[in-house]
Amino acid sequence: NLHNIGRLTMTVTEAGKLLGIGRTSVYAAIRNGELPSFKIGRRILVPTSALARKIEGLQQGQRLKEELS
């Protein structure tokens, strides 16, 4: 469960692994405003809570799509 990771943030690479996409796609999602992030020094970090909300939103959208089919 993503809520039980115990960390407040994760790297772009870690976020990509959880989402099943590559780093370039994560950077694109950040750039497009689809995925919140912030920068500390040279590192871009993704808040774990934001990633959890994104995944839950995608799952809800998929369920709605299936219900409408």
Side-chain angles (χ1 to χ4, degrees):
N1 186 335
L2 192 57
H3 293 288
N4 296 329
I5 288 180
R7 292 174 40 200
L8 296 176
T9 63
M10 61 182 58
T11 65
V12 168
T13 301
E14 292 168 331
K17 285 181 183 178
L18 280 173
L19 292 169
I21 60 176
R23 288 183 331 141
T24 304
S25 296
V26 176
Y27 283 117
I30 290 169
R31 201 171 34 256
N32 294 333
E34 296 176 61
L35 190 60
S37 69
F38 60 94
K39 194 170 182 180
I40 295 181
R42 294 173 53 202
R43 292 185 68 167
I44 295 175
L45 299 172
V46 177
T48 306
S49 60
L51 189 58
R53 283 192 306 271
K54 180 69 173 172
I55 291 171
E56 289 168 4
L58 292 171
Q59 290 172 337
Q60 288 176 357
Q62 182 63 33
R63 282 192 293 267
L64 180 60
K65 183 178 175 185
E66 290 170 358
E67 289 174 7
L68 295 174
S69 298

